């Protein structure tokens, strides 16, 4: 089966944005029609929700989960569904599994409850393949040490460790979620992803 909808997941600093960009470049170089986006954001409404989510001082856990789901619903209807309908590939930097790991796992709302909320919001449109970049929490923190951290990224190592465990559990539970060793050189990781997608 041809893979067309791919998401990248991992803790902040795992290298998912870099790998999403490398995959998009590879596809474009091969002449493939590809649409890329990021979460939260990717639409005008989503960018406003992103500001609310990452800038606000005090956001209750369920408000956070519902706002991420709202941004995702908009991204699906405005960007993902139209692209898939015309036969394009879609590559997203974070999607549903971020909510499952951060809100469902690390915030303790429950993976199944967040899955249910998002299934309703996005009408069951799930990625064909999700690459989960895994690096030890200390490595991820060191990679992001000099940048400014947003409200969620500022939670610290203990929170990121919970997110990481939740992501790992998702890769065990869902066949479409594939863990990738993110500690290697960028080009090597990109090559493995291309092989797994049948592009090489
Ligand atoms: P994320 O999107 O997961 O937060 P990024 O792709 O933005 O991660 O990468 C975070 C930082 O780590 C960047 O400075 C990037 O250049 C660096 N980086 C990404 N992939 C690797 C890698 N495989 N090895 C070393 N550094 C990396
Ligand atoms: P993002 O901008 O992707 O961070 P980065 O580029 O540094 O990886 O995401 C911002 C934060 O939002 C990040 O800490 C993860 C969090 N997040 C959730 O908690 N739930 C979600 O559903 C999504 C999409 C992101």
């Amino acid at each position: 089966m041809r893979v067309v909808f791919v998401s990248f997941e991992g803790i902040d600093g795992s290298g998912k944005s870099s790998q999403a960009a490398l995959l998009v470049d590879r596809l474009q170089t091969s002449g493939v029609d590809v649409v890329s986006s990021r979460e939260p954001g990717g639409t005008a409404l989503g960018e406003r929700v992103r500001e609310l989510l990452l800038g606000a001082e005090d956001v209750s856990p369920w408000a956070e989960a519902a706002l991420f789901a709202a941004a995702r619903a908009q991204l699906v209807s405005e960007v993902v569904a139209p692209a898939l309908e015309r036969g394009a590939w879609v590559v997203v930097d974070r999607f549903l599994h971020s909510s499952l790991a951060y809100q469902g796992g690390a915030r303790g709302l429950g993976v199944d409850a967040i899955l249910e909320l998002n299934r309703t919001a996005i009408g069951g449109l799930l990625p064909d393949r999700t690459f989960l970049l895994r690096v030890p929490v200390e490595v991820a923190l060191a990679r992001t040490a000099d940048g400014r951290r947003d409200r969620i990224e500022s939670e610290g190592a203990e929170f990121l460790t919970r997110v990481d465990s939740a992501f790992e559990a998702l890769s065990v539970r869902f066949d479409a979620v594939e863990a990738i060793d993110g500690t290697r050189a960028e080009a090597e990781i990109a090559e493995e992803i291309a092989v797994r997608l049948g592009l090489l």
Side-chain angles (χ1 to χ4, degrees), residues 91-114:
V91 175
V92 286
D93 180 355
R94 294 195 184 280
F95 196 65
L96 165 71
H97 300 88
S98 280
S99 281
L100 300 182
Y102 283 79
Q103 282 67 50
R107 292 264 194 246
L109 298 179
V111 170
D112 288 304
I114 298 298

Side-chain angles (χ1 to χ4, degrees), residues 10-108:
I11 55 178
D12 311 300
S14 60
K16 63 191 159 39
S17 309
S18 307
Q19 291 303 323
L22 288 170
L23 175 61
V24 168
D25 280 353
R26 184 183 296 270
L27 290 167
Q28 280 173 342
T29 305
S30 321
V32 173
D33 183 8
V34 55
V35 170
S36 64
S37 195
R38 67 161 188 176
E39 271 211 16
T43 64
L45 178 67
E47 289 297 339
R48 289 168 70 187
V49 172
R50 181 190 182 91
E51 280 170 31
L52 280 176
L53 271 166
L54 302 180
E57 291 294 304
D58 188 22
V59 183
S60 78
W62 272 106
E64 186 177 275
L67 285 169
F68 276 118
R72 187 164 300 127
Q74 189 68 20
L75 183 72
V76 165
S77 75
E78 227 178 87
V79 178
V80 180
L84 294 175
E85 268 157 35
R86 70 160 201 261
W89 279 57
V90 175
V91 175
V92 286
D93 180 355
R94 294 195 184 280
F95 196 65
L96 165 71
H97 300 88
S98 280
S99 281
L100 300 182
Y102 283 79
Q103 282 67 50
R107 292 264 194 246

Side-chain angles (χ1 to χ4, degrees), residues 103-182:
Q103 282 67 50
R107 292 264 194 246
L109 298 179
V111 170
D112 288 304
I114 298 298
L115 185 57
E116 187 60 35
L117 169 71
N118 278 271
R119 275 219 174 106
T120 307
I122 63 182
L125 192 66
L126 302 180
D128 300 303
R129 200 81 69 88
T130 296
F131 291 109
L132 169 61
L133 275 297
R134 297 216 52 221
V135 299
V137 167
E138 319 78 77
V139 173
L141 283 171
R143 284 184 188 171
T144 57
D146 42 5
R148 278 184 53 228
R149 298 212 170 100
D150 61 51
R151 182 179 58 84
I152 295 177
E153 288 166 353
S154 308
E155 293 276 352
E158 199 255 328
F159 180 78
L160 274 190
T161 302
R162 291 208 299 275
V163 175
D164 182 53
S165 307
F167 268 134
E168 186 186 15
L170 294 174
S171 72
V172 172
R173 175 170 169 182
F174 297 107
D175 285 345
V177 180
E178 297 186 16
I180 300 264
D181 173 6

